[in-house]
Amino acid sequence: LCAAWQALVQKSLNNDGTCTPSPDGVGQCEDGIGDSSSSNGTTQAQWLGLLLNELTKISCTTFSQSASLATSTVELYSCPQSTASSINSVDFTSWQPEEHCTRLQNVAPATDTRGAVSFSGSLQVAADSTCARPVPFESAQAILDEEVAKLRVASSHLSEKDARRQVSTTDRVVNCYCKQQEAETGIASFRSPPFDKTPAKRLCRQWILSKLERVGLLIVGVLAITVLNEILVLTLDFFVKWERHDTRTSMTYSQFMKLFAAQFVNTGLIVLLVNSNWHGTFSNIPIVSLFRFGEGSYDDLEADWFVAVGSGVCLTVLIQIFSATIPGILWSKFAHPVMLSFYS
């Protein structure tokens, strides 16, 4: 399966971009390996490029190298179509892939020195999920344009704005680029209008708007939960009085236990159930499908969960603390003394 994409290799790249592969090998050229070495062989090769006939998703590859010069780590890059289309006009002796392409996860080829050639079997090709490596503007822009074009071809009714919003929030490379620019510029400056002030903000416009929308929904959700909790206090206070307790202590304890259970479910448990993803495990249970539990975006307590869900829970608890204590303090320290002065 790893060799299936090799048939799509159009040519390998050397210092002038004219090298073509031999019929029986990928990365082998009629005049040598396609790389960044100089034509007279005085510069050591730093990279090998493969130009494909069509846009292809590669999930694995094989790697062979001279045993005497074997390296244990190889950096992989994915270059946009716009870079490949101008391949013959680029000076590869000075061209650096990290400035134009998206870096993937490193692979660790075999370094067996018992033979002349060290051959590695299937090596996984995967995107960098940590966003730790810088994403060039050129690469992010090219991927955004290509993915938007593909979406609009697949769905003719989809507007460019909606397509850019979808790609900006789902594509890992564009998402990483915008996160890195936000960290470099500052969250307040990067998310503030105007959104066409810099090329980075123009590219990340829909990403920024989606983040602002998420923050807005978070605030609305927190306020809604806080209001519901206050309604619970009044409702439970009314029903507890009907229990006809003999002492104030027993009535307060009953109210406290009921309020704790209700607010725990409303503030924490429901939020957790709604945002969790069970991959359809309990979808045959009527109450689960009715309230759409387990249809959220998170199947684990990962970093994004703490940003999107955990922060909302913390903010709700914080507001609840102040909303439950501040009114009593204001009443006892200010409102009550004022009323006594008027009616005494």
Side-chain angles (χ1 to χ4, degrees), residues 197-210:
K197 189 175 182 180
T198 63
K201 293 185 71 171
R202 283 195 294 270
L203 189 152
C204 298
R205 178 186 179 90
Q206 295 303 322
W207 183 87
I208 295 173
L209 293 176
S210 69

Side-chain angles (χ1 to χ4, degrees), residues 43-252:
T43 303
Q44 184 179 0
Q46 297 297 320
W47 55 263
L48 168 69
L50 300 176
L51 178 62
L52 305 183
N53 285 321
E54 60 186 60
L55 190 64
T56 307
K57 182 178 180 180
I58 299 174
S59 58
C60 54
T61 186
T62 58
F63 193 86
S64 60
Q65 56 184 333
S66 173
S68 60
L69 300 174
T71 180
S72 60
T73 303
V74 175
E75 296 179 359
L76 295 183
Y77 292 86
S78 173
C79 300
Q81 190 174 2
S82 58
T83 299
S85 63
S86 60
I87 215 72
N88 291 323
S89 61
V90 178
D91 179 12
F92 287 105
T93 57
S94 60
W95 189 84
Q96 298 296 327
E98 58 267 24
E99 297 176 359
H100 306 275
C101 306
T102 303
R103 187 170 176 179
L104 309 177
Q105 291 183 9
N106 295 343
V107 296
T111 56
D112 189 0
T113 59
R114 288 175 293 181
V117 176
S118 179
F119 177 78
S120 300
S122 176
L123 300 174
Q124 183 182 13
V125 176
D128 175 27
S129 58
T130 63
C131 293
R133 301 177 175 94
V135 178
F137 171 81
E138 179 184 347
S139 178
Q141 183 68 67
I143 290 175
L144 178 62
D145 293 341
E146 291 171 9
E147 293 298 323
V148 167
K150 286 168 59 179
L151 279 178
R152 298 197 68 188
V153 169
S155 302
S156 57
H157 65 280
L158 192 66
S159 66
E160 182 175 355
K161 177 182 176 182
D162 292 337
R164 293 179 74 90
R165 168 71 70 92
Q166 184 173 337
V167 174
S168 297
T169 54
T170 58
D171 185 83
R172 185 173 295 173
V173 175
V174 178
N175 192 43
C176 283
Y177 174 79
C178 294
K179 283 183 178 180
Q180 292 168 2
Q181 293 301 310
E182 181 181 74
E184 181 179 338
T185 307
I187 185 171
S189 176
F190 193 70
R191 294 191 183 184
S192 301
F195 300 122
D196 57 353
K197 189 175 182 180
T198 63
K201 293 185 71 171
R202 283 195 294 270
L203 189 152
C204 298
R205 178 186 179 90
Q206 295 303 322
W207 183 87
I208 295 173
L209 293 176
S210 69
K211 294 297 182 183
L212 294 176
E213 181 180 318
R214 177 179 290 185
V215 172
L217 292 175
L218 174 64
I219 294 174
V220 171
V222 168
L223 293 177
I225 292 175
T226 304
V227 171
L228 287 175
N229 285 340
E230 292 299 323
I231 294 175
L232 282 173
V233 172
L234 298 175
T235 303
L236 290 176
D237 182 62
F238 174 79
F239 283 109
V240 165
K241 290 179 180 179
W242 283 81
E243 295 178 354
R244 300 185 181 279
H245 292 272
D246 296 330
T247 64
R248 172 70 69 175
T249 301
S250 63
M251 186 182 73
T252 304

